[in-house]
């Protein structure tokens, strides 16, 4: 049976017995009120009336309640949602317009756009990156016209959309969030480099005091204190690897979670495969927490590593390690009273200058790309055959070719000096990995060189890869406040999506495997993301229903939302998967996407029943490819 809580609220006798006084409360506050006179006697201290009980569901299920469609496809017209319960408005970042769309949510089945928040008055040619709402105040993160310049955070009234104030923050402000008390806003200033990596601003977290919303003040938690400690951080497992970068320039905050008590925050450092732990009161980054690596050689961490031939092939791959590299993170208090973090392990590679032919022609000063296919990395003829195509010049300068350690990769046929079947498409050949990690190095980080036959040789020109590092964990994780892994979903995402029990479509009538590891922008893309990051979990949102806490995880490529009961952080359980994606196979996806459902979920927002327009808990899901914001009803299933 579900556990229920009954709360009691002590009302004054006058309020309980004289409804008219409630309507006149504002006028009567200044008057002495002794009693409410009337016949019939009765106690002057009646029993308090109980609030409606808060029931705990046995389970939940997602259903489509409504949808707002921008009619704009493949242009990121719906990215991050937020919600104001007082005005019953949703605010959705529209990257195509550079604004935030304002949606009337008073009828969840038919949300409609009523206006937009345009930040050009704050910064000309500005682009809105993220949005958060608290207490009737809307906060927008605003990117400067030149993304490496300082950005802004602006504050608006949710009901009138009036601009209240704005402040300057770091370069490329992205995700932002209020502390639970609403008095502070934190924003992740990602500080991405320019496309040619010529300018690389420092990453930081701005901490904005909004206790007086008309005069906000900013403090900055930066990473300069970690400069000079790069070797220490690398040894601990933090990736610091950008060209010529120190810690402050290389660490790039992506997403922020705040503890329930509002004292501590954590920022995901996605490319660095780490978290920054922040003391809010002192505006200080106190710890850089490496996240470690996922062993895809274990059965519970199996993956599909190839898109060619297109097939379901989820299997262990010894020697392949996954960098968790979370995007969205969230904090919550579990049943044991401890604070835990929930992380969507999307994965992300640095790829700057990839659209400049001069970079691929060998000019390393014009970019930096770390991604490379295994089949090209360990080809027996070396790297030169890929010059002018997809060979990063930094890798070309490091060595003439690379080998696989046969002691690690013997399972797929590797022998000294020859990868053999390991580089076949159906094995590891198609998998995209980072070339910056996994090769054998000395105590100073310099590569240990080998000859083409696989023998150690200081005069050799080959790298020896003892491990291959793939992007993302293809999972959701739970970690404690110090970044220690408590639980990971392992291979559950891919195995569920490949199972006969899984169904997609608004009516859940299409086999999930139809779109297994599929791209989010074409209808016949079965398995074409297995060589990249699989289903790509990107967004995560937490919702509490009764005594249970649930995590909602958006899958960017495959689409849809995975739901887990995370009440017990050490033993979460899978609850539901819902994806409105439908089937379409026309030659021009733009002509058919309007009938294809919601594609490319980017951001999620949980709306508890008490704040929802119709008294039912909801989940907003913004989808960057289809340009839609889906309103999902959270159906609560109670024990009989």
């Amino acid at each position: 049976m579900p556990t229920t809580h009954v709360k009691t609220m002590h009302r004054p006798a006058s309020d309980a017995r004289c409804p008219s006084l409630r309507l006149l409360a504002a006028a009567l506050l200044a008057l002495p009120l002794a009693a409410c006179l009337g016949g019939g006697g009765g106690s002057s201290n009646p029993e308090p009336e109980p609030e409606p009980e808060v029931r705990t569901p046995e389970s939940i299920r997602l259903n489509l309640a409504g949808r707002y469609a921008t009619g704009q496809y493949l242009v990121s017209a719906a990215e991050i949602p937020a919600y104001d319960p007082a005005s019953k408005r949703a605010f959705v970042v529209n990257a195509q317009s550079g604004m935030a769309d304002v949606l009337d949510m008073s009828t969840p089945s038919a949300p409609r756009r009523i206006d937009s928040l345009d930040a050009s008055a704050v910064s000309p040619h500005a682009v809105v990156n993220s949005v958060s709402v608290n207490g009737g105040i809307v906060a927008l993160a605003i990117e400067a016209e030149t993304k490496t310049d300082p950005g802004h955070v602006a504050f608006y009234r949710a009901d009138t959309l009036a601009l209240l104030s704005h402040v300057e923050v770091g370069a490329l402000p992205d995700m932002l969030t209020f502390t639970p008390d609403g008095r502070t806003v934190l924003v992740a200033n990602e500080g991405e480099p320019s496309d040619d990596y010529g300018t690389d601003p420092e990453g930081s977290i701005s901490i904005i005091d909004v206790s007086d919303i008309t005069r906000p003040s900013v403090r900055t938690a930066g990473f300069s204190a970690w400069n000079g400690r790069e070797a220490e951080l690398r040894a601990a497992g933090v990736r610091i690897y950008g060209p010529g970068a120190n810690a402050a320039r290389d660490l790039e905050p992506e997403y922020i979670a705040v503890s329930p008590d509002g004292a501590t925050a954590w920022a995901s450092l996605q490319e660095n495969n780490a978290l920054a732990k922040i003391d809010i009161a002192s505006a200080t980054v106190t710890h850089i927490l490496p996240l470690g690596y996922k062993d895809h050689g274990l059965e519970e961490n199996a993956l599909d590593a190839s898109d060619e031939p297109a097939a379901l092939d989820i299997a262990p791959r010894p020697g392949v390690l996954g960098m968790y590299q979370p995007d969205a993170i969230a904090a919550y208090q579990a049943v044991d009273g401890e604070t835990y973090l929930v992380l969507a392990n999307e994965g992300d590679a640095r790829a700057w200058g990839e659209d400049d032919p001069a970079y691929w022609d060998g000019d390393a000063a014009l970019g930096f790309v770390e991604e490379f296919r295994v089949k090209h990395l360990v080809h027996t003829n070396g790297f030169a055959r890929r010059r002018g195509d997809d060979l990063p010049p930094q890798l070309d300068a490091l060595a003439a070719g690379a080998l696989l350690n046969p002691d690690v990769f013997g399972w797929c046929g590797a022998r000294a000096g020859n990868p053999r079947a390991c580089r076949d498409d159906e094995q590891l050949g198609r998998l995209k990995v980072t070339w910056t990690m996994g090769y054998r190095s000395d105590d100073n980080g310099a590569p240990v060189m080998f000859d083409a036959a696989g023998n150690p040789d200081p005069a050799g020109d080959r790298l020896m890869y003892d491990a291959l590092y793939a992007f993302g964990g293809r999972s959701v994780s739970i970690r404690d406040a110090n970044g220690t892994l408590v639980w990971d979903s392992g291979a559950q995402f891919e195995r569920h999506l490949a199972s006969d029990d899984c169904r997609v479509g608004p009516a859940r009538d299409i086999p999930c495997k139809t779109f297994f590891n599929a791209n989010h922008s074409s209808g016949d893309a079965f398995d074409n993301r297995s060589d990249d990051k699989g289903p790509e979990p990107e967004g995560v949102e937490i919702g509490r229903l009764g005594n249970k806490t649930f995590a909602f995880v958006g899958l960017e490529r495959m689409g849809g939302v995975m739901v887990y009961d995370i009440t017990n952080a050490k033993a979460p359980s899978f609850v539901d998967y819902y994806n409105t994606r439908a089937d379409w196979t026309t030659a021009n996806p733009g002509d058919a996407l309007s009938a294809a459902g919601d594609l490319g979920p980017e951001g999620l927002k949980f709306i508890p029943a008490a704040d929802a327009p119709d008294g039912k808990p909801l989940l907003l899901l913004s989808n960057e490819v289809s340009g839609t914001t889906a309103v999902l009803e959270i159906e609560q299933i109670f024990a009989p």
Side-chain angles (χ1 to χ4, degrees):
M1 295 293 292
T3 303
T4 58
H5 280 182
V6 178
K7 297 182 181 178
T8 58
M9 178 176 67
H10 296 277
R11 292 200 216 165
S14 58
D15 184 53
R17 298 168 58 200
C18 300
S20 61
L21 292 181
R22 294 199 300 274
L23 301 177
L24 299 174
L28 294 177
L29 283 176
L31 300 177
L33 181 62
C36 177
L37 302 178
S43 170
S44 61
N45 295 296
E47 288 296 319
E49 297 179 10
E51 285 185 348
E53 65 176 7
V54 178
R55 301 178 66 194
T56 298
E58 285 290 297
S59 186
I60 61 174
R61 176 183 171 93
L62 299 179
N63 301 296
L64 181 64
R67 178 187 289 125
Y68 168 71
T70 63
Q72 299 169 308
Y73 310 109
L74 303 171
V75 289
S76 299
E79 289 195 329
I80 306 298
Y83 177 74
D84 176 54
S87 63
K88 296 181 174 57
R89 290 176 170 181
F91 298 83
V92 182
V93 172
N94 183 330
Q96 191 277 333
S97 68
M99 304 180 191
D101 290 336
V102 183
L103 308 184
D104 177 5
M105 286 284 296
S106 56
T107 303
S109 61
R112 62 186 183 89
R113 179 185 169 277
I114 55 175
D115 212 329
S116 292
L117 282 175
D118 182 354
S120 60
V122 174
S123 179
H125 309 291
V127 173
V128 175
N129 283 335
S130 192
V131 61
S132 186
V133 176
N134 184 281
I137 302 299
V138 182
L140 297 183
I142 302 167
E143 175 185 333
E145 182 178 11
T146 300
K147 72 171 185 175
T148 53
D149 290 344
H152 293 83
V153 171
F155 301 97
Y156 301 80
R157 284 190 55 156
D159 53 359
T160 67
L161 307 184
L163 176 63
L164 299 172
S165 58
H166 61 87
V167 293
E168 184 176 280
V169 293
L172 195 60
D174 200 344
M175 187 270 175
L176 77 171
T177 186
F178 286 83
T179 54
D181 64 7
R183 298 174 66 87
T184 305
V185 170
L186 291 86
V187 58
N189 304 309
E190 193 167 2
E192 285 182 352
S194 57
D195 285 347
D196 64 359
Y197 235 107
T199 303
D200 187 6
E202 294 186 357
S204 64
I205 298 93
S206 290
I207 300 174
I208 308 169
D209 184 343
V210 292
S211 52
D212 180 353
I213 196 62
T214 64
R215 299 177 62 186
S217 60
V218 182
R219 296 174 298 151
T220 301
F223 298 100
S224 59
W226 301 88
N227 289 343
R229 301 174 61 183
E230 289 82 6
E232 173 190 343
L233 291 172
R234 291 188 186 103
V238 179
R239 302 186 72 215
I240 299 177
Y241 62 101
N246 58 20
R249 292 198 302 271
D250 205 71
L251 298 172
E252 298 179 0
E254 185 84 21
Y255 211 95
I256 298 172
V258 180
S259 62
D261 64 6
T264 306
W266 297 262
S268 58
L269 308 173
Q270 187 173 25
E271 291 84 355
N272 312 104
N273 196 36
L275 297 174
K277 190 174 183 179
I278 303 133
D279 178 72
I280 295 176
S282 63
T284 303
V285 177
T286 59
H287 299 82
I288 306 295
L289 307 171
L291 298 180
Y293 306 102
K294 185 169 185 171
D295 186 354
H296 287 299
L298 302 177
E299 181 66 34
E300 60 265 29
N301 294 334
L303 80 164
D304 190 328
S306 179
D307 60 333
E308 294 181 8
L312 298 173
D313 185 17
I314 303 168
R317 316 281 174 174
V320 177
L321 301 178
M323 299 177 286
Y324 289 98
Q325 296 184 307
D327 187 335
I329 61 174
Y332 79 109
Q333 189 176 67
V335 290
D336 60 6
E338 298 295 321
T339 295
Y340 292 93
L341 304 175
V342 185
L343 306 91
N345 301 312
E346 178 197 24
D348 197 13
R350 281 185 172 148
W352 303 108
E354 60 181 340
D355 296 325
D356 187 346
Y359 173 74
W360 298 115
D361 286 340
D363 191 342
L366 297 179
F368 179 76
V369 177
E370 64 167 311
E371 192 176 69
F372 208 43
R373 290 195 191 276
V374 173
K375 66 189 300 181
H376 302 322
L377 184 66
V378 298
H379 197 285
T380 53
N381 291 338
F383 300 148
R385 55 190 289 276
R386 306 301 300 182
R387 286 179 186 152
D389 189 345
D390 59 357
L391 176 65
Q394 292 90 348
L395 175 59
D396 196 15
L398 189 63
L403 311 168
L404 289 179
N405 183 344
D407 294 336
V408 177
F409 294 96
W411 64 269
C412 56
R415 298 294 182 266
N418 194 333
R420 298 174 69 181
C422 291
R423 67 174 300 276
D424 289 353
D425 286 351
E426 59 267 30
Q427 293 291 351
L428 298 176
R430 296 286 298 172
L431 184 64
K432 293 178 181 177
V433 298
T434 178
W435 59 263
T436 67
M437 299 172 60
Y439 57 79
R440 198 172 307 176
S441 58
D442 61 24
D443 292 340
N444 297 317
V448 175
M449 304 307 292
F450 288 74
D451 64 23
N455 302 305
D457 183 354
D461 59 4
R462 295 291 198 269
L463 305 172
M464 175 63 74
Y465 279 84
D466 298 317
L468 297 170
Y469 288 84
F471 299 97
R474 306 188 183 199
S475 64
V476 59
S477 293
I478 295 181
R479 295 178 181 266
D480 68 17
N482 294 313
T484 302
L485 185 65
V486 172
W487 172 85
D488 184 78
S489 62
Q492 289 180 11
F493 286 4
E494 285 184 291
R495 285 195 166 127
H496 180 69
L497 298 173
S499 73
D500 292 332
D501 295 332
C502 186
R503 292 289 187 272
V504 299
R508 300 182 187 243
D509 57 355
I510 303 172
C512 291
K513 62 181 65 176
T514 305
F515 302 117
F516 176 80
N517 282 356
N519 197 301
H520 48 21
S521 58
S522 55
D524 52 355
F526 169 75
D527 197 38
N528 74 342
R529 296 295 297 181
S530 289
D531 58 321
D532 297 281
K533 294 170 280 186
E536 262 180 75
E538 179 170 14
V540 65
E541 176 73 339
I542 290 176
R544 187 169 177 83
L545 297 167
N547 292 329
K548 290 185 177 180
T549 304
F550 295 89
F552 304 91
V553 185
L555 306 184
E556 182 182 10
R557 299 289 174 170
M558 171 77 185
V561 180
M562 290 281 183
V563 184
Y564 281 83
D565 180 345
I566 59 168
T567 309
N568 182 346
K570 298 177 182 177
S573 59
F574 173 77
V575 175
D576 192 22
Y577 172 65
Y578 187 57
N579 186 352
T580 63
R581 181 173 185 163
D583 197 5
W584 86 100
T585 56
T586 65
N588 185 355
D591 293 339
L593 283 175
S594 59
D598 301 295
L599 304 169
E602 180 82 7
L604 307 91
K605 180 61 181 176
F606 172 75
I607 303 175
D611 293 340
D614 58 0
K616 299 177 182 179
L618 302 172
L619 183 72
L620 298 183
L621 184 67
S622 294
N623 303 275
E624 62 177 348
V625 172
S626 56
T628 57
T629 297
V631 183
L632 305 183
E633 179 185 329
I634 303 173
E635 177 188 354
Q636 301 186 75
I637 302 168
F638 297 98

